[in-house]
Amino acid sequence: MHKSCFFVPLSLILFCFSIQLHAATFYVSVDGSDAAPGTATSPWMSLQHAADQVTAGDRVIIKAGTYSGFRAASGGVQGQPITFTADAGAAVLINAPGTGNLKGSNIEIESYDWWVLNGLEVANAPERAGIDIRVANHVTVTSCFCRDNRKWGIFTAFADNFTAEFNVCTGSVEEHGIYHSNSGDNAVIRYNTCHHNNACGIQINADPSMGGDGISSNCVISHNILYENGTIGGAAINLASVRDSVIAANLIYTNYA
C-alpha cells in the first residue's frame, strides 16, 4: 500500500533556522565605541555603524543621548523587521543627518523594506525630513517626536504598507507634519498629533506626475489630533488622488487654511 509523505528539503530547514539564529539585539550609546561588539556592556557609538551591521530580525536599542542619524544599509523580511528603538525611558535625540545620508534628512530608509523606528526624537533636519522613507515597503514609525525639521516631520515616497502611529509631528518649517506621497498604497496613519506645521498636518498626495499609477488606495487616516497647521495654506488633512480609503474620528481644530 503506497503512502504519500510531505518532504521538506533539509536546505530549506537550515535556511529558516539560520535566519532565526542570526537575529540579535545590539546597543548604541554616546560613550560606546564602533570597535566594540555592540553588546549591552560594550555598545557601539554611532547609529550609522549600527545600520551598517544589522540584518533581518536584528534589534538596536539606543541609550539616552544626542546622535547623528543614519541611512539604512539593509532591510528585514516579513516577521523579522530591523528595529531601531529608544531604550526604555531613554531620551534619544537625533538632530542631524548621518555621515552617509544623501537627502538632507536625519534618518533615511531607501530601497529597504521591513523597518521599525520607535521612541525617537528627530529634530532640525537641515534640508528635508526628520524621517525619510523612499521606495521602501512595510516601514513602521511609532511613538516618535519629529520637530522643527526643514520640510517634513515624516516623509514617504513610493512606500506601500507604511504605518505611522502615536507620533507627534510639529514645527515643520516649510511644509507638512506627515507627508505620504507618490502612489503609496495601504498606509495606516492613526493616533498621531500634528500641530504648528507651516502647511498641512497630514498630506497624502499620490502625485500622478511622478510616475507609478498615480493613486493611493486603501489608506486609513484615523484618530489623529490636528491643530494650528496651515500658516502658508494647506489643510489639517489634505488628499490628492486618494481612493477607497477611510478618514474617520480625527480631531481637527484651529487650523489656518
Side-chain angles (χ1 to χ4, degrees):
M1 187 175 189
H2 175 71
K3 284 189 174 180
S4 62
C5 63
F6 180 70
F7 175 72
V8 179
L10 178 61
S11 59
L12 179 60
I13 294 172
L14 292 175
F15 174 73
C16 294
F17 177 73
S18 67
I19 290 178
Q20 292 212 339
L21 184 65
H22 177 79
T25 298
F26 299 103
Y27 293 81
V28 175
S29 173
V30 291
D31 56 4
S33 168
D34 287 343
T39 62
T41 54
S42 297
W44 293 323
M45 182 179 68
S46 71
L47 299 181
Q48 186 59 62
H49 181 76
D52 290 340
Q53 305 306 310
V54 294
T55 57
D58 288 346
R59 180 178 178 88
V60 175
I61 297 176
I62 307 168
K63 300 288 189 179
T66 300
Y67 299 85
S68 295
F70 67 92
R71 182 172 174 83
S74 62
V77 296
Q78 186 173 7
Q80 290 190 298
I82 293 173
T83 300
F84 274 46
T85 182
D87 197 9
V92 174
L93 171 62
I94 300 171
N95 67 350
T99 55
N101 289 27
L102 301 177
K103 307 295 186 182
S105 299
N106 287 3
I107 296 174
E108 298 177 1
I109 299 172
E110 184 170 8
S111 301
Y112 292 110
D113 301 336
W114 295 102
W115 269 81
V116 176
L117 303 173
N118 176 67
L120 310 175
E121 180 179 355
V122 189
N124 304 121
E127 296 178 38
R128 289 191 173 88
I131 298 171
D132 191 322
I133 300 159
R134 303 177 189 232
V135 199
N137 300 326
H138 299 282
V139 177
T140 296
V141 180
T142 182
S143 301
C144 290
F145 179 29
C146 300
R147 63 168 178 83
D148 305 320
N149 296 290
R150 172 56 58 181
K151 276 191 176 290
W152 315 290
I154 300 170
F155 171 75
T156 78
F158 298 107
D160 291 339
N161 300 290
F162 165 69
T163 300
E165 295 179 316
F166 304 105
N167 303 290
V168 175
C169 294
T170 184
S172 294
V173 176
E174 295 182 5
E175 294 191 16
H176 320 307
I178 298 173
Y179 184 15
H180 182 64
S181 75
N182 301 141
S183 307
D185 296 327
N186 307 310
V188 176
I189 302 172
R190 61 188 177 188
Y191 300 108
N192 303 283
T193 299
C194 298
H195 65 94
H196 292 94
N197 298 290
N198 202 30
C200 303
I202 295 170
Q203 171 154 298
I204 298 181
N205 179 6
D207 202 345
S209 68
M210 294 299 291
D213 67 1
I215 297 171
S216 287
S217 302
N218 302 314
C219 298
V220 175
I221 303 176
S222 72
H223 298 88
N224 301 285
I225 300 173
L226 307 159
Y227 63 94
E228 297 195 53
N229 301 289
T231 303
I232 63 164
I237 299 173
N238 195 65
L239 307 173
S241 297
V242 177
R243 304 287 186 272
D244 301 315
S245 296
V246 175
I247 296 89
N250 299 285
L251 176 60
I252 299 172
Y253 64 94
T254 322
N255 296 278
Y256 301 121

